[in-house]
Amino acid sequence: MEYRNKLVLAPMGTLPLRLLAAEYGADITYGEEIIDHKMVKCERRVNENIGCTDFVEKGTETVVFRTCLQERNQVVFQVGTSDAVRALNAAQLVCKDVAAIDVNMGCPRSFSISGGMGAALLRKPELIADILTTLRRNLDIPVTCKIRLLKCPQDTVELARRIEKTGVSAVAVHGRKVADRPRDPAKWNEIADIVAALSIPVIANGDVFEYGDFERIKVATGATSVMAARGALWNASIFSPVGKLDWEDVKRQYVRKSILWDNDVKSTKHTLKEMIMHYSCLELPEGKDVIKSETLADIARLYGEEKYYQFVNENRTMLNGGHREGKFMVAPEI
């Protein structure tokens, strides 16, 4: 995995969003964070019906992580952890099916903080070193981490230097501090300090909402690669050099990919609601209908994709033969 001069999807997408972002131009696509406690309860299963690889929680039969050959060389598995051995056990389950492993060290949510994960790790440099060194020594694929800014800029630089010494391939930096809210401007100048101090690639993240922002943040920080989060969630075509497409078109393609890959309906609804909240309003009929939807069939009906839904489910053998070979199989326009 090469981390220089790349456009990167932040760790917020399940398989349909990752594949959609890649089609529009994303070079690297991070999966949404999976907690190590959850992952170590899973077993790897090849899903012949869908044409993908699932990591399924034993007992509940819940699909915790789904991937496919098409994204094998660009998908990054992000793990939430507070323990080096448990992180390694989780990573070893999935390392043959992904391009790299990333450790989440920036999530400010109370669930992560209370479990000693995410941004809580920023206060524990020894544990950070233990986790990253353990992964690096025992895995044959790249290891990275994603951090936030500390209260003191120099402390962030020193932490980044310590992270670099563990041998990671890159570090992603969200240009906000733990206490900052999304509406607070990202501090690109503090990312620049980190870039100047390191020799490994730094992936700059924060306030990337248009294709032009990729170049603007690169110029401002000196970072060679840039990660888009909310901007990509709202409209995955942000990665397209020709400019963003109309969100209605992107939404339709996302619905189709969710149908094609039999995405979890809760995950599909979450992404659709994020798009609607940004461009419209959940209180309007579309938003209310998405909230009421209980199955992918409901979503298909809502967006006029009943025939597509029927075609996919009647022709999975043909479609997924291509999936298993690592080809992009696209159902015809219906």
Side-chain angles (χ1 to χ4, degrees), residues 12 230 233-234 247 268-280 282 290:
M12 58 196 337
R230 289 175 294 157
L233 180 61
W234 297 332
W247 79 286
T268 300
K269 288 171 60 175
H270 170 74
T271 299
L272 288 172
K273 287 191 292 184
E274 287 289 334
M275 295 175 74
I276 293 168
M277 283 189 291
H278 180 67
Y279 286 103
S280 180
L282 282 178
V290 167

Side-chain angles (χ1 to χ4, degrees), residues 154-229:
Q154 187 56 37
D155 288 344
T156 313
V157 170
E158 290 304 320
L159 177 63
R161 284 175 172 154
R162 187 159 187 171
I163 288 171
E164 182 178 39
K165 290 179 181 178
T166 67
V168 294
S169 298
V171 58
V173 181
H174 184 173
R176 290 184 175 87
K177 301 176 181 180
V178 175
D180 289 341
R181 301 277 64 86
R183 64 179 177 273
D184 296 322
K187 300 171 180 63
W188 290 1
N189 60 312
E190 294 190 29
I191 298 177
D193 294 338
I194 298 168
V195 174
L198 303 186
S199 58
I200 60 172
V202 173
I203 304 170
N205 172 224
D207 290 349
V208 178
F209 302 115
E210 305 289 340
Y211 185 81
D213 291 337
F214 287 115
E215 186 61 27
R216 279 189 281 275
I217 191 172
K218 287 174 72 173
V219 170
T221 65
T224 60
S225 295
V226 180
M227 175 181 284

Side-chain angles (χ1 to χ4, degrees), residues 280-291:
S280 180
C281 175
L282 282 178
E283 295 304 312
L284 293 176
E286 179 189 3
K288 291 181 178 180
D289 287 341
V290 167
I291 292 171

